[in-house]
Amino acid sequence: MMVMFAVGAFFFFKDWKFGYPEKNVQRFYYLAFEKAESAFQGHLERGGTSAEWEAFAAEQRIFIPVATSEDKIEEPVKVVPEGTDLETRWPEALRNYERYRAAYEKESTMAIPAAWKEFSNSGGRKWKEEVKDKLKNESTIKEQLYIGILCSVLFLGALVILLRVMSRKMVVDREGFAPAGGKMIPFSAMKVIDKRKWDTKGLAYITYEDSGREKKAKVDGMVYGQFKKEEGEPAQKLFDRIMENFRGEVIELAQDEEDEAEEESGNDDSEE
């Protein structure tokens, strides 16, 4: 569980600090290329010049508020990596008229925006050719932080439990049994052992007398000792030694009434 919580915390913190913001950067660029393709189509239909397009493209910013049916971001600064230049303009692949027109004429029928395929794999970028992940808003990004903190708390809790368990042990000797974190209980003081859960859960309960009062102690084989055959089943050996020295009442697993009813029903059927 400690490993699970630690790994979970790592990935949630990573998505909060880097993963989601960096994916948003890719999405903002992708949306810019989509916008450019639509704008260029209108530019051609109007008979615009190369100079007009380049002047228009030079003024367009990548990180702008978005309000579509799928992507809604009012303040880009809150959803991209810290230090991102919010004044970043469209890249050369979109500003250069002749270069972009060639890509547009060749790729306008593709599922992805024109010139995106080349751009997403240039300049050290290894971005996806089709960015399907929608923009992550501020609350979604913060959720990763909160879940990461929760995993960290659970990790620390599991660590405390582990250290607590490691510092405790069950002991049995010729005189009696000492439960984890408890004092020695003489065999002569033990009155009842309830072993109904021993075979299924590794748990047994000892009722004993201490200074005239009846008390209970737990034998927890699953937590302390365990039942690994390669280690000689230490918990089972400990419990066997308790039973060898015990002279009181033993409560064992009784057959359920339902099972007894099924057996009786089976016997009736066979007689018929």
Side-chain angles (χ1 to χ4, degrees):
M1 291 184 68
M2 286 178 58
V3 172
M4 179 183 70
F5 291 139
V7 172
F10 171 78
F11 281 107
F12 282 116
F13 281 133
K14 181 181 178 182
D15 281 342
W16 161 65
K17 189 66 176 178
F18 305 106
Y20 280 11
E22 288 176 358
K23 285 182 179 180
N24 277 346
V25 169
Q26 295 183 36
R27 182 66 178 172
F28 272 114
Y29 269 92
Y30 189 83
L31 292 175
F33 273 72
E34 285 189 332
K35 179 181 178 181
E37 187 172 62
S38 177
F40 195 74
Q41 180 181 357
H43 179 79
L44 293 179
E45 291 173 354
R46 292 192 303 272
T49 66
S50 60
E52 290 174 338
W53 172 258
E54 291 179 353
F56 165 78
E59 294 297 320
Q60 304 306 305
R61 292 184 292 116
I62 296 293
F63 304 106
I64 60 175
V66 180
T68 66
S69 59
E70 297 181 332
D71 299 276
K72 295 184 179 181
I73 297 295
E74 295 181 358
E75 299 180 80
V77 66
K78 295 182 178 181
V79 298
V80 294
E82 186 177 350
T84 299
D85 183 4
L86 299 178
E87 296 300 318
T88 301
R89 308 292 169 159
W90 280 7
E92 178 68 15
L94 299 180
R95 296 199 309 268
N96 186 300
Y97 179 83
E98 295 300 334
R99 179 180 173 184
Y100 185 67
R101 180 167 185 170
Y104 176 84
E105 292 175 349
K106 180 180 179 181
E107 305 172 14
S108 60
T109 58
M110 296 177 63
I112 58 177
W116 174 256
K117 182 177 181 179
E118 180 182 353
F119 176 80
S120 62
N121 287 281
S122 63
R125 290 177 289 270
K126 297 294 181 181
W127 293 354
K128 296 179 180 178
E129 290 187 4
E130 187 172 1
V131 182
K132 296 181 179 180
D133 293 336
K134 307 309 176 186
L135 288 171
K136 310 294 185 182
N137 58 35
E138 185 181 8
S139 62
T140 299
I141 294 174
K142 284 185 176 180
E143 281 177 4
Q144 308 309 302
L145 170 62
Y146 300 148
I147 298 175
I149 292 174
L150 175 61
C151 287
S152 299
V153 171
L154 293 173
F155 168 80
L156 293 175
L159 177 61
V160 169
I161 293 174
L162 176 63
L163 294 176
R164 182 181 177 186
V165 170
M166 290 177 62
S167 64
R168 292 182 172 186
K169 59 183 178 180
M170 299 188 300
V171 177
V172 64
D173 59 21
R174 290 178 297 178
E175 302 299 324
F177 163 72
K183 64 180 182 179
M184 182 66 68
I185 304 170
F187 290 120
S188 59
M190 298 179 186
K191 304 302 180 184
V192 180
I193 291 183
D194 183 345
K195 55 175 292 187
R196 288 175 293 181
K197 295 183 179 180
W198 183 255
D199 292 335
T200 56
K201 297 183 179 180
L203 291 174
Y205 299 90
I206 300 174
T207 302
Y208 65 98
E209 188 175 302
D210 181 23
S211 301
R213 298 177 59 188
E214 192 175 89
K215 297 183 179 180
K216 282 191 175 182
K218 180 168 66 174
V219 184
D220 193 339
M222 282 297 184
V223 174
Y224 304 97
Q226 299 189 353
F227 300 86
K228 295 180 180 179
K229 292 186 180 298
E230 60 270 23
E231 296 179 3
E233 298 182 293
Q236 187 62 52
K237 285 184 176 180
L238 178 141
F239 188 64
D240 289 343
R241 189 167 180 185
I242 293 174
M243 295 301 296
E244 289 170 3
N245 291 275
F246 178 66
R247 297 295 179 266
E249 178 187 355
V250 178
I251 302 176
E252 299 189 66
L253 185 63
Q255 191 172 33
D256 294 335
E257 292 181 2
E258 183 179 343
D259 293 338
E260 292 177 353
E262 289 180 359
E263 286 188 3
E264 290 177 2
S265 175
N267 292 335
D268 291 342
D269 292 341
S270 62
E271 289 176 3
E272 292 178 3

